[in-house]
């Protein structure tokens, strides 16, 4: 499970680098599907990941909107600020946490194992959307391959 | 790990049902990104999943192209034909297989654990592309949520 988080973090970093060569106007442009834009998607991914990590710890989540983060640098800085807490949580993960129930959200209760998988799938899904938009602006997307990333060695 | 396969199979089935209400012309239409179309993507997902399952067993993989499968019914039937072998392999998965090396592919060697994650990410990524194309034709995509699918109970 942890390895899929490492995969997502690597892919996200690759997308930030990919964005460096794209005009801000294209990164901010409203597009069809998902949350409606490239940079907004990267913001959303970091926001949702951190918010679930916070929720699993019973802490308040991130409440700001994309409006305050409309540059590559701002989104990267926000993400970098979240990362240590996210990484600490994921790296401390062990199988005994799978079936631990979280506090109620609305009238729903999820296990931590469900939420971890939800987070993994959430990011990969949104990255798939970026790959379509990349082609729309005529640029090759970041590879989504899990293999050939040196992740075999840290599997767990 | 297994649960993410169950998630993918559920989501894929949801997409097949979603396709029932979409004209074949839209399902076949050439689109930007990925493998270039909705039905072709579903064919590609089933093809790639089965091919890796075959490769991990040292068996020959699927070699046919999408050209022979240009209807929803044909893709579904192909997928249904692959499914028993795929499910048997995934359901028999255990952690001791993680670091087992596969036979060389070209001059590369992968562990089975790497390939299983590669397969999971591959499908979710392509489904993200479908979600953009769904919006392009004005239809709500299938939800990508892992939660609220009853998958908490079978986590492993």
């Amino acid at each position: 499970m942890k390895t899929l988080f490492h995969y997502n973090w690597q892919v996200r970093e690759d997308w930030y680098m990919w964005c460096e060569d794209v005009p801000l106007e294209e990164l901010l442009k409203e597009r069809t599907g998902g949350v409606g834009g490239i940079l907004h998607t990267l913001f959303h991914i970091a926001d949702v990941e951190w918010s679930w990590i916070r929720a699993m710890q019973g802490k308040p989540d991130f409440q700001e909107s994309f409006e305050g983060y409309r540059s590559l640098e701002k989104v990267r800085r926000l993400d970098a600020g979240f990362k240590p807490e996210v990484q600490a949580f994921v790296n401390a993960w062990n199988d005994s946490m799978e079936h631990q129930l979280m506090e109620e959200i609305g009238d729903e209760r999820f296990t931590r194992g469900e939420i971890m998988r939800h987070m993994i799938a959430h990011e990969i899904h949104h990255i798939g959307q970026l790959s379509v938009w990349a082609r729309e602006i005529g640029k090759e997307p970041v590879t989504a391959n899990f293999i050939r990333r040196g992740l075999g060695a840290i599997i767990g």
Side-chain angles (χ1 to χ4, degrees), chain A:
Chain A
M1 179 117 89
K2 289 179 198 181
T3 329
L4 282 164
F5 279 91
H6 286 273
Y7 161 79
N8 272 338
W9 298 333
Q10 245 190 50
V11 171
R12 200 188 313 165
E13 197 52 44
D14 290 348
W15 276 101
Y16 286 136
M17 285 188 289
W18 181 96
C19 287
E20 289 172 3
D21 301 324
V22 176
L24 182 62
E25 183 191 324
E26 289 286 4
L27 299 181
L28 294 176
K29 190 177 165 192
E30 290 242 359
R31 297 175 194 277
T32 302
V35 297
I38 294 172
L39 196 60
H40 194 163
T41 298
L42 291 164
F43 169 87
H44 174 70
I45 287 170
D47 167 10
V48 166
E49 182 178 70
W50 195 72
S51 292
W52 278 118
I53 293 287
R54 297 285 290 179
M56 283 191 281
Q57 298 173 296
K59 295 180 186 169
D61 68 359
F62 184 69
Q63 299 283 0
E64 293 176 54
S65 82
F66 178 56
E67 286 316 303
Y69 295 88
R70 294 172 64 86
S71 82
L72 177 57
E73 198 37 47
K74 282 184 186 165
V75 173
R76 272 179 139 162
R77 210 178 312 135
L78 183 77
D79 192 347
F82 291 161
K83 200 54 70 64
E85 191 172 342
V86 172
Q87 286 179 326
F89 187 94
V90 170
N91 290 332
W93 179 263
N94 65 66
D95 291 348
S96 75
M97 299 168 174
E98 285 284 13
H99 299 281
Q100 287 173 357
L101 278 169
M102 289 174 56
E103 284 177 47
E104 274 189 27
I105 300 174
D107 58 355
E108 293 181 292
R109 295 198 83 173
F110 303 112
T111 66
R112 290 184 175 194
E114 268 180 288
I115 296 305
M116 292 289 272
R117 286 166 184 79
H118 181 73
M119 294 165 70
I120 289 167
H122 180 264
E123 175 154 357
I124 304 173
H125 182 79
H126 280 294
I127 293 289
Q129 297 170 337
L130 292 189
S131 76
V132 168
W133 296 334
R135 291 291 183 194
E136 279 175 9
I137 60 180
K139 256 182 82 80
E140 191 179 345
V142 168
T143 176
N145 283 339
F146 180 93
I147 51 175
R148 303 187 192 103
R149 287 182 174 274
L151 293 166
I154 56 158
I155 269 175

